[in-house]
Amino acid sequence: MIVFVRSGLFTVLMFAAFVLFDDGAVWESLIGAGVAGAMFTVLLWLYERRAPDAESIQ
């Protein structure tokens, strides 16, 4: 669940950045933010599956 919250926040921030710094249409920024958010979600999910827990390291 926390992965989706982080991904949603990242997607909103990427959309704001694309709208501010890109001269294209808003729908292009929305597509770019959606793709960036999807990639972030997959990478974060893979990282959290593979990363050891802090308790198991100690």
Side-chain angles (χ1 to χ4, degrees), residues 34-56:
V35 170
M39 289 175 48
F40 180 79
T41 303
V42 169
L43 291 174
L44 184 63
W45 178 73
L46 288 173
Y47 172 75
E48 289 186 353
R49 278 187 51 203
R50 298 284 185 176
D53 292 334
E55 297 169 358
S56 65

Side-chain angles (χ1 to χ4, degrees), residues 13-51:
L13 291 175
M14 289 303 297
F15 176 68
F18 287 153
V19 167
L20 288 175
F21 299 117
D22 191 14
D23 292 335
V26 173
W27 65 269
E28 291 175 348
S29 298
L30 185 59
I31 290 173
V35 170
M39 289 175 48
F40 180 79
T41 303
V42 169
L43 291 174
L44 184 63
W45 178 73
L46 288 173
Y47 172 75
E48 289 186 353
R49 278 187 51 203
R50 298 284 185 176

